[in-house]
Amino acid sequence: MFRRCLPLVAGLMGILMAAAPVSAQQGGDGRTVSDRPWMDKSLSPDERADLVLKQMTLDEKISLLHGTGMAHAEQWQTPLTYLSNGGAGMTVGVPRLGIPNIYMSDAAYGVRSSGENGRYSTALPSNVGAASSWNPEATCDYGAVIGSELRAQGYNMTLGGGVNVTREPRNGRTFEYMGEDPLLAGTLVGNLMKCEQAQHVIGDIKHYAVNDQETGRNIVNAVISKKAMQETDLLAFHIGINIGNPAAVMCSYNRINGDYACENKYTLTDVLKGEWGFKGLVLSDWGGTHSTEKASAAGLDNEEPMGDYFGPKLKEAVDAGRVPMSQIDDHAHRVLRSMFLSGIVDYPIEKSVVDVEHGLEIAQHVEEQSIVLLKNDKGILPLNASKMKSIAIIGGHADVGMISGGGSAQVDPPGGNAIMPPGQGATHWQDHIWFPTSPLKALTARLPSVKLEFNAGKDLSSAAALAKSSDVAIVFAYQWTSEGMDLPSLSLPDNQNALIDAVAKANSRTIVVLETGTAVTMPWLGDVAGVVEAWYAGSRGHIALANVLTGEVNATGKLAMTFPKSEQDLPHPMIPPLTPEDEGQGTGAVNGQDHVGSKYSVSYDEGVKVGYKWYEAEHKQPLFPFGFGLSYTSYSYSDLKTDSGQKTVSFKVKNSGKRAGTEIAEVYAELPDKADEPFKRLVGWQRVELGPAESKTVSVTIDPQMLSIFDEASNGWQLLKGKYRITAGASSEDTPLKGTIEVK
């Protein structure tokens, strides 16, 4: 790999060494910036890209179409890797023309490898947690923090923006995505990317597409109909792209109906660049490129993190006439356009100090809206200091911290892994890492008159004894997930179900706080008084959690994904096992390409029935439905009205309780019978802030796209004539208001 890159690298080294810095007023060709018409900000990104392209050599164009290696990864190194700022990779720009290098970093819920690079970054709550806020403004703030911290650290491109819908909840990367519904996920990731890219970093939405499990992720063939793909996975991407206008899309590792995602003409050219008119660049996931000519023709624009296929081999193919210059120009134009669109040319990187306090404030604010109250028998929550003297805090390392998600999304905690001795922090990308965010300390600060005592939960009898002697017991349970692995089941690991059972038997006033990356099964649900889903809570999760548990902040979050009763209720009770010859594929950052002939596949024969649609169509009762979440107050719905012409739905929501709160009012539609989709689909929602006894009228306008179906025969979307049943309420299973909209 190293030798194959040497000819091109040598040329690029010469370019870099000879050229003036990007921010200089004179380029390598002796001309001033004012002589460069592409620096005219009044021109469109496309016009500016065209002007630059005319000045570029073939070598300079190809330099934009691949990476130069990745720091901290031995298998991905070139002589230029040391320039990559310690990130995931770098694409060399054209300094003589004022075109900067692109410096990339993983940044799903915060900037990766900051501690390793001697820097700091904020960990936001996990993406699926943020999705449970159902709040586009919160996800905008989320993206803005990451974008600003990327720039402060010297990066100008994010590798975040995950929006793969939750087809397989055991997927180790569920926590990086935004739930199971395309409208919710697409809307939230679009706002995240819009506000992240506004910080002058290239926005990236990923992993395109149908990348819904980690098992065999770089060999698995996702078999799925066009209709199912268009109405679920692709729809989430389309909505996100329309809202966020990200400059880049990252294609995924897996195959889709036989072709690798990064050389799949249907998804890249026919749909993304054709039907949707996407003008940005498509880059491969790291090591996800498998060809030169096929990938180029299919619509891949940039290979990462090396130049195995889009380096010397691509130039050779051009010289031999196997790849037309028009393809090279289109690829390079898209990279250049993305640089102008995002502002990285006009606003060169200036490293600065991260605004730590601002990041912490946003992380706390988002987490407070992300926490979902799942059970609250007899009003055990919020905790009332005047009615208790002692609380047992049990398990989950809650004395020192809260767990986070692993893999390339991992954010380094300040001071290292909280459960490790100083100086012995995590070094592996799949280490189980706790942030130094102690729920015990945060609750102690919020409840100074109450005695809080911690038990690690390793010995069930001692944990039960502490619970029995306390007024309330809170068990902190965790479930670690990561890129490069799928969960064997949705059951809590490490004997935690037995711990909860023991504590609940000792004290009926037991509350379970879940720190998870996806759904969990709860065999103990009937025996505990309260359940709170905190997700991976981020850099100030302990304070946010303490505020919700004590009622300083009312619970508002609602599930962005269904929690099943058991794996047997899933569309696929088991993830298909790998064959012996494929064993290990998908478990590392990248895997060898000697398995390209693998027959491993997963068939998504459930089609469009993803998440709550599956449970309704199959008449299965979930543990907790999509859109579910309790509050410390109560709400009532009334007076639904519809307007078929404007496709609007209005109704009243009243706070019928005694404290202020925010209700997430959800609107669903059921299509006419001829659609052959016997289940509801989310078509809109609104967050409603209400004081005690206050009522407001909610109005939701339904995008016709959300009422349409994809017709394979005509290869397009159809809005069927007929009556659409409209329902509204507090969750996908609780929609008391009913009406109709008629399409004529």
Side-chain angles (χ1 to χ4, degrees):
M1 183 179 293
F2 180 83
R3 289 190 179 91
R4 288 199 299 270
C5 291
L6 278 178
L8 187 58
V9 167
L12 294 175
M13 285 291 285
I15 292 171
L16 285 174
M17 296 301 291
V22 171
S23 58
Q25 290 298 303
Q26 183 168 303
D29 56 2
R31 294 186 300 173
T32 62
V33 170
S34 61
D35 293 328
R36 295 167 170 170
W38 52 88
M39 292 300 184
D40 182 353
K41 297 180 184 179
S42 69
L43 299 177
S44 72
D46 283 298
E47 291 171 322
R48 298 174 74 178
D50 283 338
L51 289 169
V52 177
L53 198 61
K54 292 175 182 177
Q55 305 297 320
M56 291 174 62
T57 66
L58 176 59
D59 283 343
E60 288 171 334
K61 293 174 184 177
I62 289 180
S63 78
L64 294 178
L65 309 187
H66 66 87
T68 62
M70 177 181 179
H72 321 301
E74 292 182 4
Q75 77 273 33
W76 290 326
Q77 296 287 308
T78 76
L80 296 185
T81 303
Y82 79 99
L83 295 171
S84 65
N85 195 38
M90 179 185 79
T91 288
V92 175
V94 190
R96 73 177 184 88
L97 301 177
I99 304 303
N101 300 333
I102 301 175
Y103 299 97
M104 309 172 189
S105 176
D106 291 300
Y109 63 89
V111 183
R112 181 189 183 189
S113 297
S114 296
E116 191 173 5
N117 289 318
R119 306 166 188 152
Y120 166 87
S121 65
T122 304
L124 281 299
S126 62
N127 303 77
V128 74
S132 297
S133 74
W134 293 57
N135 189 347
E137 292 182 4
T139 53
C140 172
D141 292 341
Y142 189 113
V145 167
I146 295 176
S148 65
E149 294 192 0
L150 282 164
R151 281 189 59 85
Q153 293 195 27
Y155 299 108
N156 55 11
M157 182 170 180
T158 177
L159 300 175
V163 72
N164 297 88
V165 297
T166 309
R167 278 186 175 271
E168 174 48 75
R170 289 161 298 198
N171 179 4
R173 303 189 81 168
T174 297
F175 75 95
E176 294 185 48
Y177 304 139
M178 294 196 134
E180 67 191 28
D181 181 82
L183 177 60
L184 178 64
T187 299
L188 297 183
V189 82
N191 281 275
L192 188 157
M193 297 310 304
K194 177 176 66 177
C195 297
E196 187 168 3
Q197 190 164 274
Q199 303 301 311
H200 306 306
V201 297
I202 293 175
D204 167 50
I205 192 168
K206 67 181 188 181
H207 303 91
Y208 186 77
V210 204
N211 181 200
D212 300 325
Q213 68 178 55
E214 289 295 278
T215 301
R217 64 175 176 164
N218 60 317
I219 55 171
V220 63
N221 181 28
V223 180
I224 184 171
S225 71
K226 288 183 179 179
K227 174 181 172 64
M229 205 180 343
Q230 287 273 5
E231 291 189 22
T232 59
D233 302 67
L234 296 188
L235 181 56
F237 277 94
H238 195 189
I239 293 170
I241 289 170
N242 280 346
I243 293 173
N245 192 24
V249 169
M250 181 191 293
C251 50
S252 53
Y253 284 124
N254 55 288
R255 308 175 204 235
I256 306 170
N257 295 329
D259 287 329
Y260 280 107
C262 290
E263 55 185 37
N264 192 298
K265 181 179 180 296
Y266 176 73
T267 53
L268 298 184
T269 295
D270 296 350
V271 176
L272 178 64
K273 295 181 177 180
E275 294 174 18
W276 302 352
F278 178 69
K279 295 182 178 181
L281 75 100
V282 174
L283 74 158
S284 75
D285 204 339
W286 267 225
T289 306
H290 296 274
S291 65
T292 299
E293 294 159 42
K294 182 177 180 180
S296 176
L300 180 67
D301 300 304
N302 177 279
E303 175 192 0
E304 292 297 333
M306 303 283 280
D308 290 350
Y309 296 98
F310 273 33
K313 287 184 179 179
L314 183 56
K315 183 178 181 182
E316 178 189 348
V318 173
D319 290 340
R322 298 192 304 273
V323 172
M325 184 58 72
S326 60
Q327 282 183 20
I328 302 299
D329 286 344
D330 181 61
H331 299 325
H333 173 95
R334 288 173 177 275
V335 176
L336 292 165
R337 180 190 185 279
S338 297
M339 298 170 83
F340 287 117
L341 174 71
S342 59
I344 73 169
V345 177
D346 301 325
Y347 300 90
I349 291 171
E350 294 181 5
K351 289 187 178 182
S352 60
V353 177
V354 168
D355 188 343
V356 177
E357 280 304 315
H358 176 70
L360 291 174
E361 288 172 7
I362 297 300
Q364 177 182 330
H365 183 60
V366 174
E367 172 64 7
E368 286 171 349
Q369 298 176 67
S370 303
I371 292 169
V372 184
L373 179 60
L374 294 175
K375 185 175 182 180
N376 193 24
D377 277 4
K378 298 179 181 178
I380 191 170
L381 290 171
L383 299 171
N384 188 336
S386 66
K387 296 182 179 180
M388 61 186 71
K389 296 181 179 179
S390 60
I391 300 176
I393 304 294
I394 298 170
H397 300 286
D399 57 331
V400 294
M402 301 180 78
I403 200 170
S404 58
S408 63
Q410 181 69 65
V411 177
D412 291 340
N417 194 346
I419 66 170
M420 300 289 287
Q424 296 183 31
T427 58
H428 188 269
W429 77 309
Q430 286 192 329
D431 280 342
H432 296 35
I433 294 179
W434 269 257
F435 267 70
T437 48
S438 165
L440 175 62
K441 292 178 181 178
L443 284 168
T444 299
R446 292 285 308 145
L447 301 167
S449 63
V450 179
K451 178 184 178 182
L452 279 77
E453 189 172 349
F454 177 74
N455 182 286
K458 302 299 182 183
D459 180 84
L460 301 188
S461 59
S462 67
L466 177 61
K468 188 173 183 178
S469 66
S470 304
D471 293 327
V472 171
I474 306 178
V475 180
F476 285 80
Y478 61 86
Q479 167 211 66
W480 178 81
T481 60
S482 171
E483 177 182 1
M485 53 85 74
D486 288 326
L487 294 172
S489 75
L490 295 177
S491 178
L492 288 171
D494 301 334
N495 206 36
Q496 293 178 97
N497 283 334
L499 172 64
I500 295 170
D501 279 337
V503 171
K505 287 176 181 176
N507 189 333
S508 62
R509 293 175 57 80
T510 292
I511 299 162
V512 177
V513 174
L514 297 167
E515 301 171 37
T516 76
T518 184
V520 292
T521 52
M522 305 180 196
W524 34 261
L525 181 61
D527 300 321
V528 301
V531 181
V532 175
E533 175 59 79
W535 312 105
Y536 299 146
S539 290
R540 219 180 236 179
H542 58 319
I543 296 175
L545 177 64
N547 285 345
V548 172
L549 291 179
T550 59
E552 177 71 16
V553 172
N554 199 346
T556 61
K558 294 194 175 185
L559 294 178
M561 61 180 296
T562 305
F563 279 34
K565 289 183 176 179
S566 78
E567 291 81 11
Q568 296 306 309
D569 289 335
L570 297 173
H572 304 275
M574 286 184 59
I575 296 176
L578 293 171
T579 59
E581 58 267 27
D582 289 332
E583 195 64 42
Q585 294 296 298
T587 58
V590 72
N591 300 104
Q593 297 180 1
D594 54 335
H595 289 261
V596 294
S598 171
K599 303 298 183 184
Y600 181 65
S601 68
V602 58
S603 179
Y604 292 124
D605 48 17
E606 71 274 16
V608 299
K609 296 182 291 187
V610 175
Y612 63 95
K613 300 168 187 174
W614 165 262
Y615 292 91
E616 182 178 347
E618 300 296 319
H619 307 290
K620 295 177 181 288
Q621 181 67 36
L623 188 65
F624 292 106
F626 171 80
F628 176 83
L630 300 174
S631 170
Y632 296 144
T633 188
S634 56
Y635 305 98
S636 60
Y637 288 72
S638 64
D639 198 21
L640 183 140
K641 298 176 182 178
T642 62
D643 184 324
S644 295
Q646 299 297 319
K647 296 182 177 58
T648 58
V649 181
S650 65
F651 50 91
K652 290 182 180 178
V653 180
K654 181 179 180 180
N655 182 345
S656 48
K658 297 181 179 180
R659 61 172 296 165
T662 299
E663 171 68 333
I664 300 168
E666 304 164 29
V667 179
Y668 295 84
E670 297 176 27
L671 276 53
D673 291 344
K674 55 188 170 184
D676 195 27
E677 295 189 10
F679 43 80
K680 65 174 68 73
R681 56 166 70 173
L682 182 71
V683 294
W685 76 89
Q686 191 173 124
R687 290 173 54 87
V688 192
E689 295 182 8
L690 295 166
E694 183 182 8
S695 64
K696 289 182 180 178
T697 297
V698 173
S699 182
V700 173
T701 299
I702 303 174
D703 185 338
Q705 170 76 69
M706 304 316 302
L707 300 175
S708 301
I709 62 169
F710 187 82
D711 178 61
E712 291 192 7
S714 61
N715 195 39
W717 289 86
Q718 291 184 349
L719 181 62
L720 299 175
K721 294 180 181 180
K723 291 186 177 180
Y724 292 72
R725 188 184 184 202
I726 303 299
T727 61
S731 77
S732 60
E733 280 200 349
D734 180 15
T735 51
L737 302 186
K738 305 185 189 311
T740 59
I741 282 179
E742 186 170 4
V743 175
K744 297 182 179 179

